[in-house]
Amino acid sequence: MIPILFIITIIAFLFVHLTPGDPIRIMYGAEIDQETYEQMREREGFNDPLVVQYGRYMYNMAIQGDFGQSYRTRSDVSEEVLRRFGYTFILTILSMFWAILIGVTVGIISATKRNSILDRLGMISTITALSIPEFWFGLMMMQIFAVQFGWFPTSGSGTWLHLILPSLTLGFGVAATIVRFTRSSVLEVLREDYVRTARAKGQKESVVIWSHVLRNALIPVVTMAGLQFGFLIGGAVVVEQVFAWPGLGSYLIDGILTRDYPVIQALILLFSFQFLLINLLVDISYGFLNPQIRYE
Amino acid sequence: MDKQKKNSPFRIFLRKFLKQRLAVFAFGLVIMILLVGIFGPLFAPYDPHRPVTAQYADKGIDVDQLTSSTVQLEGRLSNGEVVDQSELPQLQTETENRRIASIRRTQSGVQISANTSGATEAVIESGDVSSVAEILVEGEVPLDDVEPIVSQIIIAQPEEAFSIGDEYQINFEALKTDGSEITTIEELRAYTEEKYGADEEEDTSGFQSGSSENEDSASFQLRSLTEDVVTVNEQGVVQFEEEGEGIVQIQSGDVSSVVQFQVGNEQVEPILTGIYLESTTVELTDAYKHQTPSSMHIFGTDHQNRDILSRVIHGTKETLLIGFVSVAIGTVIGTVLGLLAGYYGGWLDSLVTRMTDVLLAFPGILLAIAVIAFLGAGLTNIIFAVAVFTIPVFIRIVRASTLSLKEMTYVEAAKSIGVPNTVIIFRHIFPGTLSVVMVYLTMRIGVAILIGAALSFLGLGGDITAPEWGSMLSAAKDNSSNIFHATFFPGLAIVITVLSFNIFGDGLRDALDPKLKE
């Protein structure tokens, strides 16, 4: 994980140097004269060797938590990131809640009532759900529940009502994945010997399902849901744009569209770090949840 | 010969595939979408880049018919005669809000033309009498809660002559646009105060230019226009004071009518007592923006009045291009790397595998966004970005199947007789991986289309005016967020396309290699 993180910092650092367009020109406008240009270049430290620049970049970032200043607004990127992080965080947490609630429920129903109409309906819905782009689903939710019924505000942030539609939209795609996974996991456990034994000794079906099947079947589901967290953050970029949610995703897109390199740099790093962290946490939690793995 | 034909791998595959009806149907849809992508622009009813109103003339469609409507009107005289529009004295026509609709006189009536969506009123005035027509222009603003208004007042015209000292109770009907009537003075007074009182407040804040600004029209009036001949009290009782012609007017805001009395034996000239409109409510559509779906525009038009159906048809090509080209690039690079890594092993394998793991750890959309961040916005960059996140998937599956194929006896045999490595890879191993590659190819096209559309939705496609499904939705989000049809149809096109590819891919997988099924 550490070497990967190291490589990512190098990529993020080189980003400013590899992309077309001179950062000084972007910062101060294309019309500045040659002398000021040289001065600015010297002041911003672009004339130093790349290694020195990289060292300074790493020092500022790792020791001082300084991600530089936005080219456009001249505000501190780290402050802006901190301010927006909360928005994205609460959005993804609530989306995960919806995704697990819907996904696990539908998945269990599908598996226990296998080949029934409910099961078929559930499976068709998940295939369809996986083919629906999140942004369109969000726009449709907005049309129906915000524009037609007026139950929720169309976009922006402020109250908890603003959070409902974006989080449902974001959770929806992941819910479909969780449904499929839960279903196959439950079906697999249902074939186990101990389930047959429990049934053979005359245990009630509800007890079989609740204490024998679900306990074992949901372990991999938790892991999978954890891994999906990373994908939620990816989806959040799109959903935030749909609902004008002031999170990290919209900051990233604004940064790309206005070529605000420090912003892009910081966010690429931050997102990469998040994924690596999530993957690590999932690996660790897997050991806790499933003791069989720990002793292997 | 016959027997062998039956058992050829292709036959078996075909038989298995045809069994899955849903997948066959999806395959049909895929073919249709491909045809639309290739030949669609020939059939698109309108030019996707220009407003349809600019194209109506070329297509021989009369724009006036869509956006305007002619209302016949006639005047009734006090002797019961009916005169048509051309004989009305001092005819004046005006709309309360000219931004919404404008009105002009024609041969047989008045023509009302819509300018933008909204509700307003048209006032048709001739001397002391006037009538009002309600104008509803359907457009982006839903108009379901428009209040009915009084459109015309009909006063019963007495035929007999009166003599001095007589009293007469005026009877009238004020017709509302919803068909109901007001017949008492109190009700009409209350209605007028409610309606025009409220209107005046609006006038001070807004930019309406209407006749309601003048004091006179903004109130309820029941008065005699010939004070020396007749007087009228608040209850509508007319007193005849002198011989001659008496005229009493009832006015409710912009609507007014008169009644004429003959007092004494002297004959009076008939006068105009009321203007009667053929229809009191004029419903029009705003054809300059956001036309709702109709037979002319099945999917409606967007914020620049471009035909959405034509744009969806033209967009098919670009969307498919993103899907196919990016997946093709990803497949070729991924397959080659996967074959090499799987076959040679060693440092090459560990490098490629490590790279794949890193790339697969990121969600596709973010990886693609990161690539765009490097390359800048644009269609080719989107294709490249989508290709980048397709590569690792193919590396992984091709490498896995290469590893198992490498151990096959026929590969060992080829090696032992000294066949060069490149020949072994491409003649003996590559064909074995083909079925898996084909399955993933179809499945990834759906995903690639989704990611590509998401990227252009985010505005990373460069040209936001291009008829591409993602950018259409992006534009609809910004300009027509409360218009259902503008956001619905481009998205539906994406869903149908992706769903067809996904179901087709599922069917292909089941037919080619049942082991791949989860």
Side-chain angles (χ1 to χ4, degrees):
Chain A
M1 180 178 158
I2 299 293
I4 293 178
L5 204 56
F6 184 66
I7 294 172
I8 289 170
T9 59
I10 293 181
I11 295 176
F13 165 73
L14 286 177
F15 182 77
V16 178
H17 299 268
L18 291 178
T19 43
D22 191 318
I24 300 288
R25 300 262 183 226
I26 293 171
M27 258 187 282
Y28 299 102
E31 289 86 28
I32 54 167
D33 58 63
Q34 196 58 32
E35 198 183 332
T36 13
Y37 173 79
E38 290 298 337
Q39 272 175 2
M40 290 301 170
R41 233 184 129 73
E42 186 63 39
R43 208 186 72 187
E44 301 284 332
F46 283 113
N47 288 342
D48 298 334
L50 275 186
V51 183
V52 177
Q53 286 191 45
Y54 177 69
R56 191 166 49 222
Y57 171 70
M58 287 300 282
Y59 174 79
N60 285 343
M61 195 176 61
I63 314 287
Q64 308 198 320
D66 177 12
F67 285 92
Q69 287 180 334
S70 157
Y71 285 175
R72 296 278 153 183
T73 60
R74 297 319 241 149
S75 58
D76 266 351
V77 173
S78 36
E79 269 175 34
E80 188 70 15
V81 165
L82 274 182
R83 200 172 65 74
R84 286 167 175 263
F85 182 76
Y87 283 101
T88 302
F89 186 72
I90 192 157
L91 177 65
T92 39
I93 292 286
L94 194 63
S95 308
M96 197 40 133
F97 170 75
W98 295 126
I100 292 178
L101 187 76
I102 301 168
V104 170
T105 317
V106 177
I108 291 174
I109 293 173
S110 276
T112 49
K113 306 251 187 289
R114 198 182 176 189
N115 291 334
S116 69
I117 292 179
L118 277 179
D119 181 28
R120 270 153 209 267
L121 211 66
M123 285 304 102
I124 290 174
S125 318
T126 54
I127 287 201
T128 316
L130 288 172
S131 308
I132 294 180
E134 271 159 341
F135 51 94
W136 186 62
F137 187 71
L139 286 173
M140 287 298 105
M141 298 267 280
M142 201 194 269
Q143 284 294 333
I144 295 165
F145 297 110
V147 177
Q148 296 297 323
F149 294 129
W151 293 344
F152 303 103
T154 45
S155 61
S157 64
T159 61
W160 60 273
L161 273 176
H162 283 93
L163 195 56
I164 304 293
L165 289 184
S167 60
L168 274 174
T169 307
L170 188 51
F172 167 77
V174 176
T177 320
I178 293 184
V179 168
R180 291 188 136 194
F181 202 79
T182 309
R183 181 174 177 272
S184 63
S185 174
V186 170
L187 283 179
E188 208 167 288
V189 174
L190 277 172
R191 280 195 290 266
E192 294 283 345
D193 289 340
Y194 55 79
V195 174
R196 203 183 323 141
T197 313
R199 279 184 179 150
K201 74 181 182 188
Q203 189 62 273
K204 268 189 283 178
E205 185 64 20
S206 60
V207 179
V208 173
I209 298 289
W210 282 102
S211 55
H212 293 272
V213 176
L214 289 191
R215 249 187 216 192
N216 290 292
L218 290 187
I219 291 170
V221 173
V222 170
T223 317
M224 218 278 308
L227 282 173
Q228 289 294 321
F229 235 103
F231 290 83
L232 270 183
I233 296 172
V237 176
V238 180
V239 173
E240 280 176 11
Q241 204 73 3
V242 175
F243 290 96
W245 186 253
L248 292 174
S250 39
Y251 195 36
L252 175 65
I253 298 301
D254 290 348
I256 292 176
L257 291 177
T258 59
R259 294 184 162 219
D260 203 339
Y261 293 137
V263 175
I264 308 173
Q265 224 175 16
L267 288 176
I268 285 183
L269 264 184
L270 189 74
F271 281 129
S272 318
F273 182 65
Q274 275 175 351
F275 293 123
L276 295 174
L277 199 68
I278 288 164
N279 286 351
L280 187 74
L281 287 178
V282 169
D283 281 351
I284 295 170
S285 72
Y286 203 63
F288 275 104
L289 285 168
N290 193 350
Q292 291 157 344
I293 288 178
R294 225 183 307 167
Y295 299 116
E296 259 171 29
Chain B
M1 185 66 192
D2 204 16
K3 201 175 179 183
Q4 214 208 324
K5 207 177 170 189
K6 253 182 201 163
N7 292 329
S8 81
F10 182 69
R11 287 252 148 188
I12 296 171
F13 157 72
L14 205 63
R15 212 165 42 229
K16 278 185 181 169
F17 182 74
L18 289 177
K19 263 189 206 160
Q20 308 173 61
R21 263 184 254 149
L22 195 61
V24 174
F25 178 68
F27 178 64
L29 269 181
V30 166
I31 297 291
M32 258 180 57
I33 293 166
L34 287 182
L35 289 179
V36 169
I38 299 166
F39 300 110
L42 301 175
F43 301 109
Y46 293 92
D47 178 354
H49 302 283
R50 288 192 301 141
V52 284
T53 24
Q55 300 175 47
Y56 286 151
D58 305 343
K59 306 216 177 252
I61 300 166
D62 185 11
V63 194
D64 279 356
Q65 273 191 349
L66 297 164
T67 56
S68 59
S69 158
T70 302
V71 177
Q72 309 279 348
L73 54 94
E74 53 188 38
R76 298 246 167 106
L77 301 184
S78 52
N79 61 1
E81 270 178 39
V82 174
V83 291
D84 72 2
Q85 191 254 114
S86 54
E87 289 170 49
L88 293 176
Q90 305 157 12
L91 188 67
Q92 286 187 354
T93 54
E94 193 167 30
T95 51
E96 290 265 315
N97 188 341
R98 285 195 206 98
R99 287 193 318 124
I100 294 176
S102 45
I103 185 169
R104 66 188 176 88
R105 295 165 61 174
T106 59
Q107 282 293 316
S108 55
V110 288
Q111 190 182 47
I112 296 170
S113 311
N115 295 331
T116 183
S117 57
T120 187
E121 289 158 25
V123 183
I124 297 138
E125 193 178 343
S126 170
D128 292 325
V129 297
S130 59
S131 286
V132 165
E134 189 166 45
I135 306 171
L136 303 176
V137 185
E138 285 295 341
E140 50 193 302
V141 190
L143 295 172
D144 18 52
D145 49 355
V146 174
E147 294 264 317
I149 56 165
V150 167
S151 164
Q152 33 191 270
I153 298 172
I154 303 171
I155 309 174
Q157 174 68 46
E159 280 172 19
E160 72 271 27
F162 296 91
S163 42
I164 297 169
D166 283 355
E167 286 191 358
Y168 174 78
Q169 172 68 48
I170 286 184
N171 287 313
F172 72 91
E173 289 172 352
L175 298 179
K176 291 177 98 173
T177 47
D178 62 347
S180 62
E181 297 167 356
I182 295 177
T183 50
T184 64
I185 291 172
E186 288 74 41
E187 265 183 78
L188 188 61
R189 188 191 298 277
Y191 159 83
T192 311
E193 270 160 21
E194 193 194 329
K195 176 167 190 294
Y196 290 92
D199 240 27
E200 265 191 319
E201 273 170 45
E202 260 176 47
D203 275 354
T204 53
S205 64
F207 30 72
Q208 284 189 340
S209 55
S211 53
S212 64
E213 268 165 32
N214 75 59
E215 267 299 306
D216 214 31
S217 69
S219 59
F220 178 78
Q221 301 268 2
L222 174 59
R223 63 180 175 191
S224 165
L225 298 179
T226 50
E227 296 264 350
D228 47 343
V229 181
V230 292
T231 56
V232 62
N233 70 3
E234 297 234 315
Q235 279 73 44
V237 179
V238 182
Q239 300 263 358
F240 301 95
E241 314 267 348
E242 290 278 336
E243 287 202 1
E245 181 192 26
I247 299 169
V248 171
Q249 183 191 37
I250 298 178
Q251 182 182 16
S252 159
D254 294 322
V255 189
S256 63
S257 279
V258 295
V259 57
Q260 187 191 38
F261 301 102
Q262 181 192 344
V263 190
N265 293 324
E266 198 185 323
Q267 277 290 324
V268 291
E269 281 285 301
I271 59 158
L272 181 71
T273 57
I275 297 173
Y276 298 88
L277 304 177
E278 175 202 24
S279 50
T280 56
T281 307
V282 180
E283 285 180 37
L284 298 170
T285 26
D286 170 18
Y288 298 100
K289 191 177 164 184
H290 289 144
Q291 287 184 44
T292 43
S294 63
S295 55
M296 276 177 65
H297 306 287
I298 299 169
F299 290 176
T301 63
D302 69 0
H303 62 286
Q304 291 186 11
N305 209 20
R306 295 172 298 198
D307 184 49
I308 293 181
L309 174 66
S310 308
R311 287 176 72 73
V312 167
I313 290 176
H314 277 261
T316 315
K317 191 184 76 192
E318 277 191 37
T319 308
L320 289 181
L321 200 71
I322 294 177
F324 280 117
V325 177
S326 61
V327 172
I329 296 174
T331 310
V332 171
I333 298 178
T335 307
V336 170
L337 283 178
L339 281 171
L340 295 178
Y343 185 76
Y344 289 109
W347 65 268
L348 183 72
D349 185 32
S350 44
L351 182 77
V352 168
T353 318
R354 189 60 46 82
M355 199 180 79
T356 315
D357 287 345
V358 174
L359 287 181
L360 281 178
F362 291 90
I365 179 86
L366 266 190
L367 198 62
I369 289 176
V371 174
I372 295 276
F374 269 89
L375 301 175
L379 181 68
T380 29
N381 293 344
I382 283 193
I383 291 177
F384 194 70
V386 180
V388 164
F389 95 102
T390 315
I391 294 173
V393 181
F394 282 94
I395 293 183
R396 186 168 274 189
I397 54 153
V398 172
R399 178 179 167 271
S401 70
T402 308
L403 282 179
S404 64
L405 289 170
K406 196 167 80 169
E407 307 299 323
M408 289 288 178
T409 331
Y410 62 82
V411 175
E412 210 178 310
K415 259 187 196 164
S416 63
I417 58 166
V419 178
N421 282 333
T422 43
V423 177
I424 294 183
I425 290 177
F426 286 101
R427 191 167 293 167
H428 299 283
I429 294 182
F430 174 64
T433 63
L434 212 60
S435 65
V436 195
V437 169
M438 284 303 294
V439 170
Y440 271 83
L441 194 76
T442 25
M443 308 253 264
R444 292 311 287 189
I445 287 177
V447 182
I449 290 174
L450 271 187
I451 302 274
L455 289 178
S456 40
F457 175 78
L458 292 174
L460 304 176
D463 182 11
I464 51 160
T465 60
E468 200 276 332
W469 298 342
S471 22
M472 284 170 73
L473 281 173
S474 173
K477 180 203 69 164
D478 294 335
N479 302 303
S480 21
S481 57
N482 51 357
I483 313 292
F484 185 73
H485 68 264
T487 42
F488 180 71
F489 291 109
L492 190 69
I494 301 179
V495 173
I496 291 176
T497 310
V498 175
L499 197 60
S500 310
F501 274 105
N502 282 351
I503 294 177
F504 172 52
D506 269 1
L508 209 58
R509 177 194 63 195
D510 293 351
L512 277 176
D513 194 353
K515 274 179 291 180
L516 283 171
K517 198 169 183 175
E518 305 158 59

